[in-house]
Amino acid sequence: MLFKNITVLDENFDVIDNQYVGITGDRIDYIGNSEPSVDYGEVFSGNGRLLMPGFYNVHAHTPMTLLRGYAGGLNLQDWLFNKIIPFEAKLTPDDVYYGTMLGIAEMLKFGIVSTTDMYLHTEHMTKAFIDSGAKINAGAGFVSFNPDEKLTDNKDYQITKYLYENYHGICNGRIIADASVHAEYTTLERILREYCEYAVDLGLNMQVHMSEMKAEHEDCKKRHGGKTPARYFYDIGMFKVPTTAAHCVWLEDEDYDILAENHVTVATCPISNAKLASGICDAKRILDRNINLAIATDGVSSNNNLNMIEEMKFFSLLQKVRGSDPTVITPKQTIKAATVSGAMAQGRKDCGCIKVGNKADLIVLDIAQPHMKPVHSMLDNIVYSADGSDIEMTICDGKILYKNGEYYTIDLEKAEYEVEKRRLRVLSEL
Amino acid sequence: MLFKNITVLDENFDVIDNQYVGITGDRIDYIGNSEPSVDYGEVFSGNGRLLMPGFYNVHAHTPMTLLRGYAGGLNLQDWLFNKIIPFEAKLTPDDVYYGTMLGIAEMLKFGIVSTTDMYLHTEHMTKAFIDSGAKINAGAGFVSFNPDEKLTDNKDYQITKYLYENYHGICNGRIIADASVHAEYTTLERILREYCEYAVDLGLNMQVHMSEMKAEHEDCKKRHGGKTPARYFYDIGMFKVPTTAAHCVWLEDEDYDILAENHVTVATCPISNAKLASGICDAKRILDRNINLAIATDGVSSNNNLNMIEEMKFFSLLQKVRGSDPTVITPKQTIKAATVSGAMAQGRKDCGCIKVGNKADLIVLDIAQPHMKPVHSMLDNIVYSADGSDIEMTICDGKILYKNGEYYTIDLEKAEYEVEKRRLRVLSEL
């Protein structure tokens, strides 16, 4: 596949017009001003189009597509415990598969090529990613409330083990099994320590919810002799493996030190944190400490879409208004947090930017729309002016998965039909 | 024109499937479950589509489309005084006309049928609205720094008079001339009082910037013996005419009383206020006082688009995170603020909702996209899940102005060409 005369957002975030970009197999193998001599087969004319890296969504619960718009406008406790958890308790493996598939369709439409995800029936969620051609770092979301439970008897441990043994690294590295811990308040210390040791033994990445809500953060300190969630997880040994900590809204001074020293990625979910009124993380401080910061959608039921173009704008503007300073974050920092910083968090070292040798995880943006003109600054236009639907094409590992409303690997009609049928069944059972 | 089997968002914000909606001339004259006996001519099948009111954008500077993405990431003072104002000083009447036309193209794409606008070369901005078929409440933005200036010598007074005499109420009420005052800090008291008396004499609506920035609000109090901008404007007599006060981020206790008692509309610009780090207005308090609250984009150079779907989501989520309470604003309140509350602010009493006898200012939303499924709540999906580009058709006064990327009244290619040429000329002159 060859793109010709296309504008490229390169690995330095410079915008370069009239480029040729060649893809062979799953990798980019040519970028240049002139037409390559090799025959690449299919050629795409890039007039009025921008080629940029696809988005890496570092915290999501994709199957929650089934719950889009369900029980909105409640306070967080009501929403989660009286509505969301009872709904989720009714979900079957196939519900999760089809909910995931519809979610992936939406993500591909909005340019997301890879997702860090934590959900129940994890194998079935992962299966949908395998079938769709998109990338996943799959986690079960470890939970344990029984002080006597043996690690090997724990269901989430068993799923983690199953994912590792059956899916880790398959599809040429597209599918990755992660260790994952739901949160401090849904586990007990002894078994969590053992689970983290297991993650170290296997060399897995870790996902965790951390300091999302003020009450969660403060309750942790009460339970653990003043330790914040970051301190508690550090002491338990969680951060011995590369960890992505979602939310991090309520970090305290020492927490920034811990995250920086242990190379923990912060997965910020700006829309979800605003919609649930959890708060706004301090991105400037995170970036000033050279902590890896990546942007994520969280689950659709607290967003309520999977639109990373929108998420970038929210992220940037929430930071500006939070800090009472319009200079606090730049478009370049924002795009980096939605692309290469996310790929790094997922352990995908050859992904996230357009350079020769990297995996071809790409999106084509229509920059000829009236809301994208004129161009005083293309990076400003991408972050502040673009609309999610400006994405025309989404490519993962060199394969076109989405193009102008068409899906090449997903039967959208079937996914929509199954989601509707299953949603109504769950509602009837509640 | 007849819509058949379309889902309708009705005047009570109820969502009703399988409706017939008939339009004759510029008005809606049929809504019902069954096919009307009258022959309406062109018939649109509404399968997978939602018919809702168009958006009323109650504060904008549409010609600033020329400055999209110009001088981003600066602090407000640098941005405004060292970049924006010098650029604007170079604008010719034709620059304003074409900048406006490209801005209208974008607004129609994103469902805006009517705009309250304040800008220089106001006649030429207004001319673009006339030519495009969209609605405008046009204001000059009164400014006066000379203590000896006579009202009748003031340029903005003269423009207001010209607009009133030549444009007010033309195109069957589509074009409205407003009085408008830039802000407290850009006028002097004596002449402002005279200008407000002139507005009362003519029975014009008033537009004004008010309490956008903390420093602006506090400086007003220093200059005027502790009077807030709201108090100062009230004392001057501004609120004797129906007034739309843009921003209102820094209101104090008494200000809410003044706005409520004088039926002043608050035009909140959530994205602009976040991007310039001005702050977040207190929508709950405004609505609790029964003050009319309407949503606006502000100028594109502090947004940087004119996408009311996006603006609604930002509005709602900023309120939730501001109030640390996810229940603080509902989707219904949000949609109301983007539609009928805006029409009321503009003095368009027969606009803003779908009912028989009202002007046919309508948009058709594609609700069959994957990110709009499933539907637990259509109102939640409209506010939190929709994408600006889901708008397929925009109708103003019964005329289709935009449909699936096509413009019926705007030569988009020419507007884009002229904007690009003029933008480069201004940059070369700076």
Side-chain angles (χ1 to χ4, degrees):
Chain A
M1 183 183 342
L2 180 71
F3 291 94
K4 65 179 234 183
N5 299 325
I6 198 158
T7 300
V8 169
L9 183 71
D10 77 3
E11 58 177 316
N12 303 311
F13 299 92
D14 291 325
V15 175
I16 311 187
D17 289 332
N18 292 316
Q19 295 291 290
Y20 290 82
V21 177
I23 298 167
T24 302
D26 60 356
R27 294 193 188 264
I28 300 162
D29 64 354
Y30 181 84
I31 306 171
N33 293 312
S34 58
E35 187 153 5
S37 50
V38 182
D39 180 6
Y40 276 92
E42 197 167 10
V43 176
F44 293 95
S45 172
N47 189 31
R49 302 294 182 270
L50 175 91
L51 191 70
M52 64 178 282
F55 298 121
Y56 297 78
N57 187 13
V58 290
H59 182 68
H61 311 287
T62 311
M64 292 185 87
T65 304
L66 284 154
L67 290 90
R68 188 194 311 275
Y70 177 64
L74 298 178
N75 71 54
L76 185 62
Q77 293 297 102
D78 273 359
W79 175 79
L80 185 60
F81 292 101
N82 298 331
K83 292 291 180 176
I84 301 300
I85 290 175
F87 191 110
E88 289 180 327
K90 301 288 185 189
L91 294 177
T92 67
D94 280 351
D95 295 346
V96 164
Y97 178 87
Y98 286 109
T100 304
M101 197 59 95
L102 183 56
I104 298 171
E106 180 181 356
M107 291 199 283
L108 293 175
K109 175 180 166 64
F110 292 137
I112 295 169
V113 293
S114 185
T115 301
T116 299
D117 208 309
M118 183 197 291
Y119 209 68
L120 50 86
H121 300 307
T122 324
E123 318 88 293
H124 307 275
M125 170 176 82
T126 305
K127 185 70 171 46
F129 276 90
I130 293 170
D131 294 349
S132 73
K135 295 180 177 179
I136 185 171
N137 285 47
F142 186 87
V143 167
S144 175
F145 294 104
N146 174 0
D148 302 321
E149 190 177 32
K150 282 178 62 180
L151 180 64
T152 49
D153 291 339
N154 179 280
K155 176 179 60 64
D156 300 316
Y157 163 83
Q158 290 166 357
I159 296 173
T160 305
K161 186 167 184 288
Y162 180 87
L163 290 171
Y164 176 74
E165 289 171 354
N166 292 277
Y167 292 141
H168 189 56
I170 69 167
C171 304
N172 203 20
R174 181 162 64 81
I175 309 300
I176 294 176
D178 278 1
S180 71
V181 170
H182 177 262
E184 174 275 330
Y185 60 97
T186 48
T187 52
L188 296 171
E189 185 169 339
R190 188 264 312 159
I191 196 167
L192 183 57
R193 194 180 292 272
E194 292 172 17
Y195 182 76
C196 291
E197 283 164 8
Y198 177 73
V200 173
D201 290 344
L202 267 49
L204 297 180
N205 288 343
M206 175 68 75
Q207 310 171 17
V208 66
H209 291 103
M210 193 170 87
S211 297
E212 175 179 8
M213 296 166 284
K214 187 169 188 186
E216 163 214 341
H217 182 87
E218 296 300 331
D219 287 351
C220 171
K221 287 159 70 180
K222 283 182 207 151
R223 267 192 292 272
H224 300 291
K227 288 184 187 178
T228 63
R231 177 86 227 171
Y232 171 74
F233 288 143
Y234 172 77
D235 285 349
I236 264 181
M238 181 184 284
F239 299 154
K240 289 179 187 166
V241 294
T243 299
T244 296
H247 305 301
C248 297
V249 172
W250 294 97
L251 299 184
E252 299 185 38
D253 290 356
E254 194 208 22
D255 296 341
Y256 293 92
D257 298 332
I258 293 170
L259 300 190
E261 284 160 19
N262 292 279
H263 309 290
V264 173
T265 291
V266 171
T268 184
C269 305
I271 292 181
S272 173
N273 294 159
K275 187 158 193 295
L276 298 176
S278 305
I280 305 170
C281 81
D282 188 344
K284 180 168 173 21
R285 190 163 180 191
I286 291 166
L287 291 171
D288 283 349
R289 292 301 307 271
N290 288 316
I291 297 166
N292 190 43
L293 177 70
I295 299 175
T297 61
D298 204 354
V300 85
S301 73
S302 60
N303 190 311
N304 296 341
N305 62 32
L306 300 165
N307 181 339
M308 279 289 272
I309 292 275
E310 186 180 272
E311 201 82 40
M312 286 198 294
K313 183 167 181 176
F314 261 86
F315 165 73
S316 173
L317 270 54
L318 284 170
Q319 290 301 322
K320 291 170 190 284
V321 76
R322 178 195 190 285
S324 299
D325 180 359
T327 71
V328 81
I329 200 97
T330 66
K332 178 174 162 177
Q333 288 173 314
T334 302
I335 297 170
K336 182 167 184 279
T339 57
V340 66
S341 297
M344 293 303 100
Q346 295 179 340
R348 302 180 184 276
K349 294 187 173 40
D350 53 359
C351 295
C353 58
I354 298 181
K355 68 176 180 183
V356 169
N358 260 19
K359 292 286 179 81
D361 291 349
L362 302 166
I363 59 181
V364 176
L365 197 70
D366 179 0
I367 53 173
Q369 291 288 322
H371 58 276
M372 293 293 277
K373 292 182 179 177
V375 184
H376 285 283
S377 157
M378 184 62 81
L379 297 193
D380 281 66
N381 280 10
I382 293 169
V383 173
Y384 302 123
S385 306
D387 192 60
S389 299
D390 296 341
I391 294 168
E392 280 191 347
M393 194 191 302
T394 302
I395 296 167
C396 184
D397 278 354
K399 288 199 182 66
I400 299 173
L401 302 185
Y402 171 83
K403 187 179 165 192
N404 293 322
E406 296 296 314
Y407 293 91
Y408 291 68
T409 51
I410 296 175
D411 183 341
L412 180 63
E413 202 173 331
K414 181 169 172 62
E416 289 176 346
Y417 169 80
E418 293 287 345
V419 162
E420 182 62 8
K421 185 177 76 178
R422 291 159 191 281
R423 173 184 81 91
L424 295 173
R425 190 207 75 239
V426 172
L427 290 176
S428 75
E429 290 174 0
L430 287 171
Chain B
M1 183 181 347
L2 180 71
F3 291 93
K4 65 178 233 186
N5 299 323
I6 198 159
T7 301
V8 169
L9 184 70
D10 78 3
E11 59 177 316
N12 302 311
F13 300 90
D14 291 325
V15 175
I16 310 186
D17 289 332
N18 292 315
Q19 294 293 287
Y20 290 82
V21 177
I23 299 168
T24 302
D26 61 356
R27 293 192 188 265
I28 300 162
D29 65 354
Y30 181 83
I31 305 172
N33 293 312
S34 57
E35 187 153 5
S37 51
V38 182
D39 180 6
Y40 277 91
E42 198 167 11
V43 177
F44 294 96
S45 172
N47 189 30
R49 301 295 182 270
L50 175 92
L51 191 70
M52 63 178 283
F55 298 122
Y56 297 78
N57 187 13
V58 290
H59 182 68
H61 312 287
T62 311
M64 292 185 87
T65 304
L66 284 154
L67 291 89
R68 188 195 311 275
Y70 177 63
L74 297 178
N75 71 54
L76 186 62
Q77 293 297 102
D78 273 358
W79 175 78
L80 186 60
F81 292 102
N82 298 332
K83 293 290 181 177
I84 300 300
I85 289 175
F87 191 109
E88 288 180 327
K90 301 288 184 189
L91 294 178
T92 68
D94 280 351
D95 294 346
V96 164
Y97 178 87
Y98 287 109
T100 304
M101 198 57 97
L102 183 55
I104 298 171
E106 180 181 354
M107 289 199 285
L108 293 175
K109 175 180 165 65
F110 292 136
I112 295 168
V113 292
S114 185
T115 301
T116 299
D117 209 308
M118 181 197 292
Y119 209 68
L120 50 87
H121 301 306
T122 324
E123 317 88 294
H124 307 275
M125 170 176 82
T126 305
K127 185 71 169 50
F129 276 90
I130 293 170
D131 294 348
S132 72
K135 295 181 177 178
I136 185 171
N137 285 46
F142 184 87
V143 167
S144 175
F145 293 104
N146 174 359
D148 301 321
E149 189 176 34
K150 283 179 59 181
L151 179 65
T152 49
D153 291 339
N154 179 280
K155 178 180 59 65
D156 300 316
Y157 164 83
Q158 291 166 355
I159 295 173
T160 305
K161 185 168 185 290
Y162 180 87
L163 290 171
Y164 175 74
E165 289 172 355
N166 292 278
Y167 292 142
H168 189 55
I170 69 167
C171 304
N172 203 20
R174 180 162 64 81
I175 309 299
I176 294 175
D178 277 1
S180 72
V181 170
H182 177 261
E184 174 275 329
Y185 61 97
T186 48
T187 53
L188 296 170
E189 184 166 341
R190 188 262 314 158
I191 196 167
L192 182 57
R193 194 180 293 271
E194 291 172 15
Y195 182 77
C196 290
E197 283 165 8
Y198 176 74
V200 173
D201 289 345
L202 267 49
L204 297 180
N205 288 343
M206 176 68 75
Q207 312 171 17
V208 66
H209 291 104
M210 192 170 87
S211 299
E212 176 179 9
M213 295 166 285
K214 188 170 189 185
E216 162 215 341
H217 182 87
E218 295 300 330
D219 288 351
C220 171
K221 287 159 70 179
K222 284 181 206 151
R223 267 192 292 272
H224 300 292
K227 288 184 185 177
T228 63
R231 178 85 228 173
Y232 170 74
F233 288 142
Y234 172 77
D235 285 350
I236 263 181
M238 181 184 285
F239 301 154
K240 288 179 187 166
V241 295
T243 299
T244 296
H247 305 301
C248 297
V249 172
W250 295 97
L251 299 182
E252 300 186 38
D253 289 356
E254 193 208 23
D255 295 341
Y256 293 92
D257 298 332
I258 293 171
L259 300 190
E261 284 160 19
N262 292 278
H263 309 291
V264 174
T265 291
V266 171
T268 184
C269 305
I271 291 181
S272 174
N273 294 160
K275 187 158 192 299
L276 299 176
S278 306
I280 305 169
C281 81
D282 188 344
K284 181 168 174 19
R285 191 162 180 192
I286 291 166
L287 291 171
D288 283 350
R289 291 302 305 272
N290 288 317
I291 298 166
N292 190 42
L293 177 70
I295 299 176
T297 61
D298 204 355
V300 85
S301 73
S302 60
N303 190 310
N304 294 345
N305 61 33
L306 300 164
N307 181 339
M308 280 290 272
I309 292 274
E310 186 180 271
E311 202 82 40
M312 286 198 295
K313 184 168 181 175
F314 261 87
F315 165 74
S316 173
L317 269 54
L318 284 170
Q319 290 301 321
K320 290 170 191 283
V321 75
R322 178 195 191 284
S324 300
D325 179 359
T327 71
V328 82
I329 200 95
T330 65
K332 179 174 163 177
Q333 287 173 315
T334 301
I335 297 170
K336 183 167 183 282
T339 57
V340 67
S341 297
M344 292 305 100
Q346 294 180 341
R348 301 180 184 278
K349 294 188 172 40
D350 53 358
C351 295
C353 58
I354 298 181
K355 68 176 181 184
V356 169
N358 259 20
K359 292 285 180 79
D361 292 348
L362 302 166
I363 58 182
V364 176
L365 197 70
D366 177 1
I367 52 172
Q369 291 288 321
H371 57 277
M372 294 292 277
K373 293 184 178 175
V375 184
H376 285 283
S377 157
M378 184 63 80
L379 297 193
D380 281 64
N381 280 11
I382 292 169
V383 174
Y384 302 123
S385 305
D387 192 60
S389 299
D390 296 340
I391 294 167
E392 280 191 348
M393 195 191 302
T394 302
I395 297 167
C396 183
D397 277 355
K399 289 199 182 65
I400 299 174
L401 302 185
Y402 171 83
K403 187 179 164 194
N404 293 322
E406 297 295 315
Y407 293 90
Y408 291 68
T409 51
I410 297 176
D411 183 341
L412 180 63
E413 204 174 331
K414 181 168 171 62
E416 289 176 346
Y417 169 81
E418 293 286 346
V419 162
E420 181 63 8
K421 186 176 76 178
R422 291 159 190 281
R423 173 185 81 92
L424 294 174
R425 191 207 75 239
V426 172
L427 289 177
S428 75
E429 290 173 2
L430 287 172

